[in-house]
């Protein structure tokens, strides 16, 4: 229930406020950030860290804070908790790292889909390349099933839409109309008060009107039983699916993580398949285009410089500065064991531009001095 969820969220909220490096916390009960859905048995907490300049110590960096929180959250037995950073590009996925859609392509069943997702996550625990993998699908959420006796309803002259609209209005809510007052328009929505819709017995106290105008107790035609099932059935390209998220382990690139997940997914039962989504899909679609892009950039820059200097040889001296600058950056990245991610490549592009700009100025200065008669030395 939402009340139990709120108690767990409050416990996590109290721990987060005591965590060094955390500035503010926004908690929302009944909402899941991974699915962007409203669920009574889910909660989300959005954590704002202190300014980067105030978190220079290693233990106050975001990765250290995430690892510490994940260990602490394992102590909470009432919930499955995950700590993860937001996606680098808003709108492409709900979490950073990779995103996989595991699909039931041969109607194996929702319980089997959940089990396949859990098995894939469990297999990743022993893989050194993968970290923080999670499957968001649950096929055994406790539910109440309202079984309508349609034959009895027909005998009593009760229309089925009346049964469903009564349940909707009292237990959920129903829009009635609008009215104007104080220069504003107000919506009218009806719903039973909380104390009259908090238990299964309250459904039996509801009445529905039959064709003769008589009020018939709803328990005459409705039997409520306990059951279990998914809160929401996700579909991806028409197939029932579960979203599996995760991240590369520290020191591994996203491409290595994708290859590791595909190797694990190869052991799935034949009735299941998978597709990548989010940023991971865009990365795979783009492929390894960096060498082609950099190669074309070098060709275009060479032609532009050749046109500027009216020489085929002088641009070569400008472009020889680029390998030296890239070598220094690549060496520093290798020594510090940084990831070769998209931010690294953007930094290299910026560095290439700066080094080329400096080289152009130096070569232009030397060219002018040569034209004035100075020697090469």
């Amino acid at each position: 229930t939402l009340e139990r969820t709120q108690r767990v969220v409050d416990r996590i909220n109290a721990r987060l406020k005591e965590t060094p490096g955390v500035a503010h916390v926004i908690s929302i009960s009944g909402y899941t950030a991974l699915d962007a859905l409203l669920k009574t048995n889910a909660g989300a907490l959005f954590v704002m860290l202190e300014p980067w300049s105030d978190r220079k110590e290693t233990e106050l960096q975001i990765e250290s804070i995430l690892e510490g929180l994940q260990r602490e959250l394992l102590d909470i037995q009432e919930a499955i908790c995950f700590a993860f950073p937001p996606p680098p590009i808003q709108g492409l996925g709900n979490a950073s790292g990779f995103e996989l859609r595991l699909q039931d392509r041969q109607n194996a069943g929702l319980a089997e889909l959940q089990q396949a997702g859990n098995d894939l996550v469990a297999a990743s625990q022993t893989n050194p390349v993968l970290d923080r993998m999670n499957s968001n699908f649950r096929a055994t959420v406790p539910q109440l099933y309202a079984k309508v006796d349609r034959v009895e309803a027909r005998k009593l002259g009760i229309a089925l839409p009346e049964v469903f609209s009564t349940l909707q209005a009292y237990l959920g809510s129903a829009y009635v109309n609008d009215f104007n007052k104080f220069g504003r328009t107000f919506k009218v929505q009806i719903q039973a008060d909380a104390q009259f819709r908090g238990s299964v017995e309250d459904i039996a106290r509801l009445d529905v009107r039959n064709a003769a105008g008589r009020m018939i107790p709803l328990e005459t035609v409705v039997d409520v039983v306990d059951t279990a099932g998914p809160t929401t059935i996700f579909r991806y390209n028409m197939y029932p699916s579960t979203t599996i998220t995760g991240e590369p382990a520290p020191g591994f690139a996203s491409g290595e993580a994708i290859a590791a997940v595909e190797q694990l997914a190869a052991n799935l039962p034949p009735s299941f398949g998978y597709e990548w989504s989010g940023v991971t899909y865009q990365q795979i679609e783009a492929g390894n285009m960096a060498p082609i892009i950099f190669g074309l950039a070098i060709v275009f820059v060479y032609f532009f410089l050749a046109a500027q200097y009216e020489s085929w040889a002088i641009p070569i001296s400008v472009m020889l500065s680029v390998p030296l600058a890239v070598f220094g950056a690549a060496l520093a990245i290798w020594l510090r064991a940084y990831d070769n991610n998209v931010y690294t490549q953007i930094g290299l592009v910026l560095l290439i531009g700066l080094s080329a700009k400096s080289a152009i100025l130096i070569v232009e200065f030397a060219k002018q001095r040569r034209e004035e008669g100075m020697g090469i030395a």
Side-chain angles (χ1 to χ4, degrees), residues 169-314:
Y170 284 96
L171 304 181
S173 64
Y175 167 75
V176 179
N177 60 10
D178 298 335
F179 72 94
N180 298 321
K181 194 170 186 179
F182 309 119
R184 294 181 58 188
T185 301
F186 295 87
K187 283 184 176 295
V188 179
Q189 303 234 183
I190 62 169
Q191 184 185 51
D193 199 8
Q195 58 182 322
F196 300 107
R197 55 181 171 86
S199 65
V200 178
E201 290 74 18
D202 292 329
I203 298 177
R205 300 187 182 99
L206 301 177
D207 292 333
V208 62
R209 192 182 303 276
N210 67 357
R214 294 175 51 207
M215 301 301 293
I216 307 296
L218 203 58
E219 63 177 341
T220 307
V221 294
V222 176
D223 183 25
V224 181
V225 296
D226 292 313
T227 185
T231 304
T232 305
I233 298 177
F234 302 94
R235 292 185 179 274
Y236 192 76
N237 288 340
M238 302 300 293
Y239 296 111
S241 67
T242 172
T243 303
I244 297 178
T245 57
E247 295 181 352
F252 293 94
S254 58
E256 295 176 292
I258 291 173
V261 173
E262 289 179 342
Q263 186 177 1
L264 294 177
N267 299 322
L268 289 169
S271 58
F272 295 97
Y274 68 90
E275 293 186 49
W276 296 100
S277 61
V279 178
T280 312
Y281 172 78
Q282 301 295 334
Q283 178 180 346
I284 295 175
E285 283 292 300
N288 192 14
M289 298 292 293
I292 299 176
I293 293 172
F294 280 111
L296 289 174
I298 291 173
V299 172
F300 277 103
V301 168
Y302 176 79
F303 283 132
F304 281 127
L305 292 176
Q308 177 181 344
Y309 290 116
E310 297 181 350
S311 169
W312 294 106
I314 293 179

